[in-house]
Amino acid sequence: MGLGLIWFIIGVLMPLICFSYWMYFRPTSLWTGFFFIMLAGFLYITLIIQLERVSSQLAIAVAMPGVIFLAIVGIFGLFTGVVALFWNERVLLKREGFSLSNLLPLLVALGLIAFQVMVVVLAYYGHNPYVIAFSMFISMCFSYVISVFFFYLITSFLYNVFPTFGKVDYIIVLGAGLIDGERVTPLLASRIDVAVKLFNKQKNKKNHEPTIILSGGQGPDEKISEAQAMMNYVVEKNYQLGSVYLEEKSKNTKENLQLSEAIAYQKDNIKNFNRKNIVVASNNYHILRAGKLAYQSGIFARGIGAKTKFYYLPTAFIREYIGYLALTKKRHLIIFGCIFFISLLMLALQLFVS
């Protein structure tokens, strides 16, 4: 077997098969983003190798953007991230006002600075084996968290852009906070709009009308349920829809999905969503975690994400990522435990050698 064939199987065919499988059957898994990056990387390298056989100058020209990008990320990535987060914090406070959730970019930036300072301090005491082991543990944990965030970002993008095939049975619109306790916010309105857009697309191209479920209960500071406020918005906009159900008891995303399934059973005698084509409508930053919650509830759902103002995306993605870590905390705690064990093993080896 030639080296070219081995390279094709390992570098192109296997990542392509894995990515296709996860993208179609497990789109909310971060392995989707991992295999996409792996496939893109191998294809990029393959392209450079093939171009080098034609022209070395052409191969260098194609390779340089990738080299520059990796150099910037590797050398200036942390510094660039801190500067971008400080800038984003300034814009966010100016446009959205002060709130604890809006301080997330600032807190993350300060955390990155604290990490860098700690690395310098630990390097100063680098001769101490205990310090070395601790430094290794912190660095590996930090690298893991950053890598998972990167995979989360890529997977979220892929989950958003994946097209919806076939006839959609139900579109679940996830609720959000209201203005003055009774009117939808622009953010919530965008979720309804993107659901209506999909409804019209299904109606015009497939001659099929999906059932829309407006899902959201009434919070302690709200005069009406979020579902009712969404329905009022639909009437106000004069959207011509088919069957629209209101789910008015849920308090979070997980209940949005589970109680929407119960509504479908009550209204249409649908026992579960397993054999139904379900689409969840939310904002682009939230759609991946919503899809993951759906999967954990036994519901396989695709997602459609409404666009969000660019300056708000960093804060939103940080918050969603924290939510994802909490949702999958057992897995990450196991990884941190393994890293801690490796650090202890390296410490024992250093002490033994000493």
Side-chain angles (χ1 to χ4, degrees):
M1 185 180 294
L3 291 176
L5 183 58
I6 295 175
W7 173 269
F8 174 76
I9 293 174
I10 297 177
V12 178
L13 187 59
M14 289 180 63
L16 177 60
I17 292 173
C18 291
F19 169 68
S20 301
Y21 171 81
W22 258 270
M23 189 70 217
Y24 191 79
F25 294 104
R26 296 287 304 278
T28 61
S29 170
L30 298 200
W31 285 109
T32 306
F34 172 80
F35 285 118
F36 174 80
I37 294 170
M38 186 177 177
L39 175 63
F42 273 112
L43 287 175
Y44 185 58
I45 295 172
T46 302
L47 175 63
I48 294 170
I49 292 173
Q50 295 301 319
L51 289 176
E52 201 277 333
R53 296 176 179 178
V54 178
S55 170
S56 297
Q57 292 181 344
L58 183 59
I60 293 173
V62 173
M64 282 307 295
V67 173
I68 293 172
F69 173 77
L70 292 176
I72 292 175
V73 172
I75 300 173
F76 304 107
L78 192 61
F79 174 77
T80 304
V82 169
V83 172
L85 286 168
F86 275 124
W87 174 82
N88 179 246
E89 182 64 43
R90 179 177 176 274
V91 175
L92 189 63
L93 292 178
K94 183 179 179 181
R95 298 192 180 186
E96 297 290 330
F98 176 83
S99 70
L100 291 178
S101 61
N102 287 345
L103 292 178
L104 274 177
L106 175 62
L107 295 175
V108 173
L110 293 176
L112 292 175
I113 292 174
F115 172 77
Q116 191 61 37
V117 171
M118 185 179 63
V119 168
V120 174
V121 172
L122 291 176
Y124 180 78
Y125 295 99
H127 60 280
N128 188 312
Y130 294 97
V131 174
I132 294 173
F134 179 71
S135 177
M136 178 184 296
F137 173 73
I138 295 297
S139 298
M140 291 178 69
C141 287
F142 177 80
S143 299
Y144 171 76
V145 171
I146 294 298
S147 298
V148 172
F149 177 76
F150 185 62
F151 295 142
Y152 182 87
L153 199 63
I154 298 298
T155 305
S156 180
F157 171 77
L158 294 172
Y159 191 62
N160 269 275
V161 301
F162 193 85
T164 302
F165 296 106
K167 295 181 178 180
V168 175
D169 296 302
Y170 292 91
I171 304 173
I172 303 174
V173 186
L174 303 182
L178 304 176
I179 299 174
D180 297 329
E182 58 183 344
R183 293 183 292 113
V184 299
T185 61
L187 181 144
L188 182 52
S190 68
R191 298 182 182 185
I192 303 169
D193 293 339
V194 79
V196 172
K197 183 178 179 180
L198 176 60
F199 174 88
N200 290 330
K201 183 178 179 181
Q202 288 273 308
K203 183 178 180 179
N204 296 331
K205 292 188 176 182
K206 301 183 182 299
N207 195 28
H208 170 70
E209 296 186 356
T211 297
I212 294 180
I213 303 178
L214 304 176
S215 179
Q218 182 176 350
D221 59 341
E222 295 173 339
K223 300 175 184 178
I224 59 176
S225 69
E226 294 167 5
Q228 184 60 57
M230 287 190 278
M231 189 64 199
N232 294 343
Y233 176 81
V234 169
V235 173
E236 178 187 335
K237 288 289 184 179
N238 196 30
Y239 286 139
Q240 301 301 310
L241 306 176
S243 298
V244 180
Y245 301 155
L246 303 188
E247 183 288 297
E248 302 182 86
K249 296 181 180 180
S250 57
K251 298 178 181 178
N252 51 51
T253 303
K254 187 174 182 179
E255 291 185 2
N256 284 146
L257 300 162
Q258 292 175 339
L259 295 180
S260 292
E261 186 176 32
I263 288 289
Y265 174 73
Q266 178 185 345
K267 298 284 188 178
D268 302 328
N269 198 28
I270 301 298
K271 293 184 178 180
N272 55 60
F273 281 157
N274 288 345
R275 296 185 179 181
K276 298 297 178 180
N277 192 359
I278 309 299
V279 172
V280 178
S282 187
N283 290 87
N284 50 10
Y285 62 83
H286 178 241
I287 202 67
L288 177 60
R289 190 163 67 89
K292 202 160 192 67
L293 283 166
Y295 182 81
Q296 289 186 351
S297 300
I299 302 170
F300 182 85
R302 292 290 175 183
I304 48 172
K307 293 182 179 180
T308 308
K309 293 178 180 178
F310 181 76
Y311 69 85
Y312 188 71
L313 279 177
T315 301
F317 264 111
I318 291 171
R319 188 171 64 245
E320 288 299 311
Y321 180 57
I322 293 172
Y324 164 77
L325 292 178
L327 186 65
T328 55
K329 56 182 179 294
K330 290 183 180 180
R331 180 186 313 161
H332 306 300
L333 289 174
I334 292 173
I335 298 296
F336 290 144
C338 293
I339 294 174
F340 182 72
F341 176 76
I342 293 172
S343 301
L344 286 181
L345 194 62
M346 294 301 296
L347 174 61
L349 183 61
Q350 287 181 351
L351 292 175
F352 177 77
V353 172
S354 301

